[in-house]
Structure formats: C-alpha cells, structure tokens
C-alpha cells in the first residue's frame, strides 16, 4: 500500500475524484488529502512507537552547545560514545547549572534549536543522541517506517477522518476501532 493508494481509498469513500498523484501534486484535493494523511501520521506517531526513534551521533567542538537535528521532535537520551559510556543527565533549560571551567559534559538541556551542556567542552567528545524525529510525508520524504510497515494504520486513520467528513458516526467509530 502506498501514500497514493491511501489517498485514493479515502477519496473514493467520501465520493470525490481520486487523485492520480499526491506527492508533488498541485491539485487542491490531492494537497488536502496529503495534509490530512500527515495530520493522521502525527497522531499515530504520538503512540510512542520505539521504532520511530532515531539516533544521531555528533562531535562537540569546544563549545557548551550543539545544534539539534533538523528533524527533531522529542528527546530521549544523550550518551558519551567513548569510555566511560555514561548517559548525560537531562535538565530543564532554566535549571541547567553553568560551570565556568571546561570539561567533559555530564548534563544537558534543550534550549531552542540547541542542546546545551553545563560547561564548555575541553576537547572533542562524540555523543549519541536518541530522539523522535518529525514524521511528515512530503516530496522529499514520500514514505516512512510506519507507511512502509503498517500502511493500514494510515489507511484507517484517514478513513476515520473520512467518516467525520461524511458525518457518519457509525463508520467513524468502526474505522477508529481499526485505527487504534
């Protein structure tokens, strides 16, 4: 099952013309279907599927911060990749102490588009960052793990919304049960 076949199934169900393409389409209906399917994907992604976690390994450069990955949504863990392989302790940005002497970081906090450390790094450290990535489908990302491995989840989520669009609470309830 593909993004296009999901969009076509929903279009057929609600009685509108099925698109011949979705990704990159300029057709208004295709764009609306893509937005709806992406919204459903964001809802499905909140179910905390551990497979949707991503890892990013980066090396510090002597500063007290590094940039977050561009697809970052939610942090899970930050760990040194060299001995000792310890996890850095997460803190709330306003509660992260600042130590004026450079050294090996042991705490971190999110601050805007950065991961801040409690101190500047005295050398290059390689860290492994585990996080939940953005989940939207687009021209550059026409598929993702969930669509590839569980396309029915997208289909039933989209058909659930179709039930709401058609004002058919029985159909909506049936598709909601299949989605969940």
């Amino acid at each position: 099952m593909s993004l296009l076949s999901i969009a076509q199934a929903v279009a057929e169900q609600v009685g509108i013309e099925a698109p011949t393409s979705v990704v990159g389409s300029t057709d208004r209906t295709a764009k609306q279907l893509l937005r709806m399917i992406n919204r459903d994907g964001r809802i499905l992604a909140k179910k905390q599927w551990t497979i949707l976690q991503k890892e990013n390994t980066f090396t510090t450069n002597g500063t007290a911060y590094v940039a977050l990955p561009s697809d970052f949504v939610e942090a899970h863990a930050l760990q040194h990749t060299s001995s000792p392989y310890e996890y850095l302790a997460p803190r709330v940005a306003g509660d992260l102490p600042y130590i004026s002497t450079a050294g090996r970081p042991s705490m971190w906090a999110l601050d805007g588009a950065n991961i801040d450390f409690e101190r500047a790094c005295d050398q290059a450290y390689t860290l492994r960052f585990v996080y939940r990535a953005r989940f939207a489908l687009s021209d550059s990302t026409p598929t993702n793990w969930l669509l590839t491995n569980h396309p029915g989840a997208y289909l039933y989520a989209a058909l659930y919304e179709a039930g709401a669009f058609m004002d058919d609470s029985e159909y909506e309830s049936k598709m909601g049960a299949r989605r969940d």
Side-chain angles (χ1 to χ4, degrees), residues 102-180:
R104 181 181 168 108
S106 62
M107 292 180 267
W108 63 283
L110 298 175
D111 186 19
N114 295 319
I115 298 172
D116 287 349
F117 306 114
E118 84 282 8
R119 64 177 66 222
C121 299
D122 61 345
Q123 65 184 45
Y125 292 99
T126 302
L127 302 168
R128 183 179 69 95
F129 183 51
V130 180
Y131 65 100
R132 186 164 57 91
R134 198 167 284 116
F135 206 64
L137 301 169
S138 66
D139 292 348
S140 60
T141 312
T143 190
N144 58 31
W145 178 89
L146 186 60
L147 182 58
T148 300
N149 294 287
H150 298 283
Y154 266 105
L155 175 62
Y156 291 119
L159 289 173
Y160 168 79
E161 290 212 25
F165 175 80
M166 297 181 307
D167 199 25
D168 185 338
S169 58
E170 184 178 330
Y171 182 83
E172 186 179 0
S173 176
K174 189 166 132 183
M175 292 302 113
R178 286 186 172 184
R179 175 200 63 196
D180 297 336

Side-chain angles (χ1 to χ4, degrees), residues 12 56 60 62 79 108 123 154 162:
E12 181 182 314
N56 185 28
T60 63
Q79 177 185 23
W108 63 283
Q123 65 184 45
Y154 266 105

